Amino acid sequence: MCYNNFRIVLGGVIMFINLSNHVSEKWSKEQLETAKVYGDIVDIGFPAVDPKGDSDYIDKLVDEYYSKISKYDKPVVMLQGEFTFTYRMVKKLKDSGITVVASCSERHSVEVLKENGKVERNSVFEFVRFREY
């Protein structure tokens, strides 16, 4: 059985874990409905990744967050954020059989040239779907 390009496991509760800087209470109706196909949405705040941290630091942070996620049975993880952490976390989750997705949206931007010569950009993101890593 598929819904919006996802698999639904019958007979099991799947948690949709939101590991990003965007809490689910601020998601659009469409994004919430799509995520809820998996069951309850759990927000796990994305870590503040120190840009001065080395490779060992990133690995420890990934292990810490993997431990938080692995407490859930059959989770689907929506993961977006700082690139090196995200890359390593996606790899670790997928290697352990956990489905990882990203939120895909259309960006509508308007640029305005201000009197001071600076350009101001306003963007609105419209959710389209989740796509598996």
Side-chain angles (χ1 to χ4, degrees), residues 58-121:
I58 296 294
D59 288 340
K60 287 177 186 171
L61 199 55
V62 165
D63 288 344
E64 175 186 339
Y65 278 77
Y66 179 81
S67 177
K68 292 179 183 185
I69 291 167
S70 64
K71 293 177 183 175
Y72 295 93
D73 187 36
K74 302 178 186 175
V76 170
V77 179
M78 198 280 298
L79 175 55
Q80 294 182 204
E82 192 275 339
F83 295 117
T84 57
F85 174 88
T86 297
Y87 173 80
R88 292 180 192 194
M89 180 59 82
V90 166
K91 182 165 178 14
K92 187 171 185 98
L93 291 169
K94 287 182 68 73
D95 286 351
S96 67
I98 295 174
T99 300
V100 189
V101 299
S103 180
C104 301
S105 59
E106 290 184 357
R107 179 176 65 186
H108 307 281
S109 296
V110 176
E111 290 185 356
V112 178
L113 180 60
K114 296 297 199 173
E115 289 180 19
N116 62 6
K118 294 184 180 181
V119 175
E120 181 179 288
R121 180 184 305 186

Side-chain angles (χ1 to χ4, degrees), residues 1-30:
M1 182 182 249
C2 290
Y3 179 85
N4 196 20
N5 223 16
F6 293 116
R7 62 179 172 73
I8 298 175
V9 177
L10 299 176
V13 175
I14 299 177
M15 303 301 295
F16 190 91
I17 296 175
N18 168 31
L19 179 53
S20 75
N21 286 315
H22 306 282
V23 294
S24 61
E25 67 184 30
K26 294 184 179 180
W27 287 358
S28 69
K29 177 183 173 191
E30 293 80 14

